[in-house]
Amino acid sequence: EPEVTQTPSHQVTQMGQEVILRCVPISNHLYFYWYRQILGQKVEFLVSFYNNEISEKSEIFDDQFSVERPDGSNFTLKIRSTKLEDSAMYFCASTRQGPGRDTQYFGPGTRLTVL
Amino acid sequence: DQQVKQNSPSLSVQEGRISILNCDYTNSMFDYFLWYKKYPAEGPTFLISISSIKDKNEDGRFTVFLNKSAKHLSLHIVPSQPGDSAVYFCAALTSGTYKYIFGTGTRLKVLA
């Protein structure tokens, strides 16, 4: 069964450093999402991406964050200058059709630890 | 601003019995609701969804009920199995948007 993959599984970085989290969505999917989950808290929507542009973003997704689909398979989340409070699990998800019309498939997540 | 709430952080149920997980929402614009299951070290896995035009949707052992007037939905698992032990999240969506709003999750433990 096709699946969403994410790398790395765990990223440790120093505060102020840039990190790039990578995702490979399911190959025929067109809509892509990033979420985060701070330990013990709810899963929070960060951003959605369709047709090579951001379709919606949350208040969390400020200027420190950016997303990119650099080629036909990868979908990346960049945090320019990490803060301690960015420590969380980051999940990528994808769907073939638009929201509410298709199942959202999640990757296993990247645990980001900011020291 | 918690638009989707799961007031029970945990629930324990005997194997074979019914598990009922509850979710409340405040935003009347939500018109599509989903339940996800999450195991440790994995991403959420979609379980079942319901549109606001329905009040019930069933898929095997899983049934979701929606009470729009009460802004409440519930997930019933019958019969519960030890493999159902996981964290369950409800999520809500407004048509025309991409922003899925998740609840805080309920940890279900099914006792053998």
Side-chain angles (χ1 to χ4, degrees), chain B residues 73-93:
Chain B
L73 64 154
S74 61
L75 174 68
H76 293 209
I77 307 173
V78 182
S80 302
Q81 299 172 352
D84 295 330
S85 297
V87 178
Y88 288 78
F89 292 96
C90 65
L93 181 70

Side-chain angles (χ1 to χ4, degrees), chain A residues 9-112:
Chain A
S9 56
H10 191 189
Q11 173 90 47
V12 181
T13 189
Q14 295 290 326
M15 190 169 56
Q17 294 296 303
E18 174 184 287
V19 294
I20 298 176
L21 310 182
R22 301 180 194 281
C23 169
V24 179
I26 295 173
S27 61
N28 63 348
H29 284 192
L30 301 175
Y31 297 79
F32 314 112
Y33 307 81
W34 282 102
Y35 293 83
R36 79 172 185 191
Q37 185 185 24
I38 295 170
L39 185 63
Q41 298 186 25
K42 62 181 177 178
V43 175
E44 298 175 290
F45 170 86
L46 290 178
V47 67
S48 58
F49 191 86
Y50 169 69
N51 201 24
N52 280 320
E53 62 182 24
I54 290 173
S55 43
E56 191 162 358
K57 60 184 180 180
S58 72
E59 317 72 44
I60 303 167
F61 194 88
D62 61 22
D63 292 344
Q64 292 299 312
F65 292 88
S66 62
V67 287
E68 193 178 31
R69 189 153 162 82
D71 53 42
S73 60
N74 289 283
F75 179 51
T76 62
L77 174 70
K78 182 193 290 187
I79 309 175
R80 285 190 186 77
S81 177
T82 50
K83 303 188 279 284
L84 295 175
E85 54 265 36
D86 293 327
S87 295
M89 283 291 290
Y90 287 81
F91 295 104
C92 171
S94 70
T95 58
R96 190 166 52 89
Q97 300 184 60
R101 297 180 190 168
D102 196 10
T103 299
Q104 212 175 33
Y105 290 87
F106 281 80
T110 292
R111 179 174 298 283
L112 177 64

